[in-house]
Amino acid sequence: MDETYLESLTLGQILDRSVAAYPDNDAVVYTDRDFRLTYREFGELVDRIAKGLMALGVQKGEKVAVWATNVPYWVALQFATAKIGAILLTVNTLYKISEVSYVLSQSETENIFLIDGFRDTDYVQILYELVPELKTQQRGYLKSEKLPHLRRVFFLGPEKHRGMYSMPEVLNMGSHVKQEDYLARQAMLDPEDVVNMQYTSGTTGFPKGVMLTHLNIGLNGYWIGKNQLLGPQDRVCLPVPLFHCFGCVLGVLAAINHASTLVIHEFFDPVQVMSSIEQERCTALYGVPTMFIAVLEHKLFDKFDYSTLRTGIMAGSPCPIRVMEEVMDKMNMKEITICYGLTEGSPVLTQTRVDDAVRKRVETVGRAMPAIEVSIMDPEKRTPVPSGLQGEVCCRGYNVMKGYYKMPEATRQTIDEKGWLHSGDLGIMDEEGYVSITGRYKDMIIRGGENIYPREIEEFLYKMDGILDVQVVGVPSAKYGEQVGAFVIPKAGFSLAPEDIQDFCRGRISNFKVPKYVAFVDQYPMTASGKIQKYKLREMAAQLFPDA
């Protein structure tokens, strides 16, 4: 394959290429509802939805929000919107009314697809509350006071709701669009067009709309798959949210680029994951570390067959070395890779390769992706630091976002005048180009003038018997500025006390790194995409451990 030519492809062209080459291969499979589409069938569904949206008036450059769990129409919408030049805007499934209102307003979204709801949140009721005009105005002519840009609301299912188009209606409307008009729309598109907008998950501050192009995420998806050696024979088990880059780029675009099969889960459930791996003979599995831990620690783990697994990705948050080693050994994922990146980087900056030495694959996040420069810079001076020294991880290349939507100042703060994207993450690069992430710049604990990096203490504590997971944060201190605090999830059957944690550390790491405070918890506050919200842990620590 000519990899330079790939840069000139839109997402629709990437899909069409795989459909043409492997029409009878499975494209999308859901094991929990007997849903299975070949590449030919999937391509036909995408085209029907795309034409339906055209018939209903969706124009090039319009935003199409999707507020839904990983339902079967989700991936089809990802490509249908791309084929007509619309911009898919992914909405966090955990959002409540104020957050959805903010995102739809700030993004000036013209269209939204939604399901009935998720957990304790009724999406339909929220839309009616935000847009009461839905119940009285004619569809297609919506004029909302709170959301003046919103024109159309779609329900992702057969049910009919007042003011909303149902999916059967969208599919049927496609017959009103001529093939030549559909092809003419696609001919208008450019790989540099924005095709995807994702609002940063808000682990640090207010969400910002990241504008990503066909080139950004299409080429990044290609290389993510290439580095796993994905091909038409591979079957990728995908239980991570599609609204996040992990799902829609690392998962969907990596697979579609290489005509692999996607075995998608609407929600993460360890038993469903283990079952689908065995049933569909999956060769790859994706997940954040907490997902892999949930599978490994499950009482039914030994009941399932993992012999077909080969590769996959563990990403989204720092990957404990112990967990990586167990996944490679117990789940047969000898070629598992680690990806590191951020939404603004489309998202992957570095990735380990399947033939990297085991130590590199468990202790680093790999090397720079092809055609992407990665540099470690002094966070204050914004100049490169020598190999082996810590600094901020930065990148430059095709993958850098077009910017934050309608936030030019925030864009300038993140992308400097030389084109470097500043991640806000701290890391070290060795002489071979392998990067190790040491923490967030803002996560750094400064105790009495000593810089302490939480990741170092976390990795040390993972070696202690009885610890399932651990997160280290700074606790405000009147005397030292900050002290070290540890939030520990114990393994089942273990009874631990704070003194046990401290005793394990004493004499083995520097005294100033020994956690002054220890709290035992059942789970961590997380974003819907599986990222641990350390800022919330810091808030909890400040309340739990007031240090006079």
Side-chain angles (χ1 to χ4, degrees):
M1 182 184 298
D2 182 352
E3 284 147 1
T4 57
Y5 173 68
L6 190 72
E7 295 185 25
S8 66
L9 297 183
T10 64
L11 299 193
Q13 290 168 331
I14 290 170
L15 172 62
D16 288 345
R17 187 186 56 179
S18 291
V19 169
Y22 299 96
D24 298 321
N25 270 26
D26 285 339
V28 177
V29 174
Y30 284 77
T31 57
D32 66 341
R33 64 200 70 190
D34 195 28
F35 181 95
R36 190 179 302 268
L37 294 178
T38 64
Y39 265 90
R40 180 189 292 109
E41 293 166 337
F42 180 65
E44 290 171 351
L45 176 63
V46 166
D47 290 338
R48 287 184 67 192
I49 294 174
K51 288 181 177 180
L53 293 177
M54 278 185 64
L56 290 168
V58 178
Q59 301 297 312
K60 181 179 185 291
E62 285 192 15
K63 276 78 66 182
V64 179
V66 180
W67 193 17
T69 51
N70 295 1
V71 294
Y73 282 123
W74 208 111
V75 177
L77 273 169
Q78 182 176 355
F79 288 94
T81 50
K83 278 199 163 190
I84 62 171
I87 299 167
L88 184 81
L89 189 148
T90 63
V91 182
N92 191 316
T93 55
L94 295 183
Y95 275 177
K96 305 291 187 183
I97 188 167
S98 63
E99 296 154 320
V100 169
S101 177
Y102 165 78
V103 166
L104 296 181
S105 176
Q106 201 279 331
S107 64
E108 301 176 327
T109 288
E110 295 90 351
N111 312 273
I112 182 170
F113 282 83
L114 67 154
I115 58 173
D116 50 6
F118 179 54
R119 295 184 180 170
D120 62 345
T121 306
D122 187 327
Y123 294 177
V124 173
Q125 186 56 44
I126 283 176
L127 253 292
Y128 282 137
E129 189 171 338
L130 286 176
V131 191
E133 298 91 345
L134 275 174
K135 293 185 176 181
T136 58
Q137 295 182 1
Q138 184 179 350
R139 294 185 306 181
Y141 297 90
L142 181 64
K143 291 184 179 180
S144 167
E145 181 180 348
K146 289 185 180 177
L147 299 172
H149 292 88
L150 191 64
R151 290 288 174 265
R152 306 167 197 88
V153 178
F154 303 86
F155 185 75
L156 268 172
E159 297 87 351
K160 292 185 177 181
H161 295 275
R162 289 171 66 185
M164 303 184 190
Y165 294 101
S166 68
M167 281 309 294
E169 289 176 308
V170 175
L171 293 166
N172 290 333
M173 287 296 291
S175 62
H176 296 282
V177 173
K178 296 178 181 178
Q179 181 68 6
E180 53 264 37
D181 293 336
Y182 182 42
L183 294 175
R185 174 72 73 90
Q186 293 178 62
M188 296 167 56
L189 309 184
D190 188 298
E192 296 280 3
D193 291 339
V194 175
V195 72
N196 185 289
M197 272 178 63
Q198 301 195 28
Y199 276 76
T200 53
S201 54
T203 51
T204 55
F206 220 49
K208 298 179 284 290
V210 178
M211 297 186 290
L212 302 172
T213 67
H214 294 265
L215 173 60
N216 284 156
I217 59 177
L219 191 54
N220 202 243
Y222 172 81
W223 283 113
I224 292 163
K226 183 81 168 178
N227 287 342
Q228 296 174 82
L229 304 182
L230 290 186
Q233 75 286 351
D234 283 295
R235 304 176 74 80
V236 180
C237 183
L238 192 67
V240 299
L242 292 171
F243 76 80
H244 187 267
C245 269
F246 199 174
C248 67
V249 181
L250 282 74
V252 173
L253 292 180
I256 299 297
N257 259 293
H258 299 279
S260 304
T261 300
L262 284 163
V263 180
I264 301 176
H265 290 254
E266 185 173 354
F267 317 102
F268 171 71
D269 176 85
V271 176
Q272 284 283 348
V273 167
M274 293 184 286
S275 177
S276 66
I277 289 168
E278 179 176 287
Q279 180 180 329
E280 292 295 323
R281 301 188 63 76
C282 293
T283 59
L285 172 63
Y286 285 22
V288 296
T290 51
M291 291 179 177
F292 282 98
I293 290 170
V295 170
L296 287 164
E297 296 290 327
H298 200 279
K299 61 184 179 182
L300 297 178
F301 177 80
D302 293 331
K303 302 292 185 183
F304 293 93
D305 178 11
Y306 310 96
S307 62
T308 59
L309 285 176
R310 172 184 67 82
T311 187
I313 295 174
M314 192 187 301
S317 59
C319 308
I321 293 170
R322 173 181 57 80
V323 176
M324 271 291 291
E325 291 172 338
E326 288 187 6
V327 167
M328 295 173 75
D329 180 44
K330 296 180 180 180
M331 298 183 70
N332 200 45
M333 297 175 68
K334 307 297 184 189
E335 298 180 359
I336 188 171
T337 66
I338 293 286
C339 288
Y340 161 74
L342 65 161
T343 305
E344 293 88 339
S346 299
V348 177
L349 280 56
T350 68
Q351 186 177 7
T352 58
R353 290 11 176 208
V354 298
D355 56 354
D356 279 341
V358 172
R359 187 177 63 82
K360 294 291 189 185
R361 284 195 281 136
V362 299
E363 295 180 2
T364 78
V365 293
R367 294 168 284 147
M369 301 289 278
I372 296 175
E373 296 177 80
V374 174
S375 177
I376 308 298
M377 296 191 180
D378 184 298
E380 302 299 330
K381 298 177 183 176
R382 292 197 163 188
T383 54
V385 301
S387 62
L389 294 185
Q390 183 170 256
E392 183 182 16
V393 181
C394 303
C395 76
R396 184 167 62 179
Y398 74 83
N399 65 309
V400 174
M401 67 171 178
K402 212 154 197 177
Y404 296 119
Y405 188 74
K406 300 194 77 174
M407 291 185 175
E409 182 55 36
T411 301
R412 282 191 291 270
Q413 290 174 3
T414 304
I415 305 172
D416 68 25
E417 64 280 358
K418 295 182 179 178
W420 289 101
L421 172 67
H422 291 258
S423 71
D425 288 328
L426 293 169
I428 296 170
M429 184 185 293
D430 67 19
E431 293 182 352
E432 297 176 271
Y434 288 88
V435 175
S436 299
I437 303 300
T438 51
R440 285 286 300 174
Y441 182 47
K442 294 180 180 178
D443 283 347
M444 183 173 67
I445 301 168
I446 304 177
R447 180 190 182 277
E450 293 281 358
N451 290 349
I452 302 170
Y453 301 100
R455 178 72 190 274
E456 177 187 353
I457 303 172
E458 290 163 0
E459 287 291 357
F460 175 77
L461 286 173
Y462 278 124
K463 300 173 185 175
M464 180 178 174
D465 285 343
I467 289 183
L468 181 63
D469 208 351
V470 59
Q471 296 293 318
V472 171
V473 298
V475 181
S477 167
K479 182 177 181 180
Y480 293 101
E482 286 182 298
Q483 291 276 20
V484 177
F487 286 85
V488 175
I489 299 178
K491 282 186 177 179
F494 279 80
S495 178
L496 297 174
E499 294 78 9
D500 297 325
I501 310 297
Q502 294 159 341
D503 289 344
F504 181 78
C505 295
R506 287 193 181 97
R508 303 177 72 186
I509 59 174
S510 300
N511 287 339
F512 65 84
K513 296 179 183 177
V514 176
K516 165 109 175 143
Y517 303 105
V518 179
F520 296 97
V521 294
D522 296 322
Q523 59 186 13
Y524 300 123
M526 290 189 179
T527 66
S529 57
K531 288 186 178 181
I532 295 167
Q533 295 172 304
K534 280 207 167 183
Y535 77 96
K536 287 191 175 179
L537 289 178
R538 285 194 291 271
E539 291 171 359
M540 289 167 58
Q543 294 174 352
L544 285 171
F545 310 116
D547 179 21

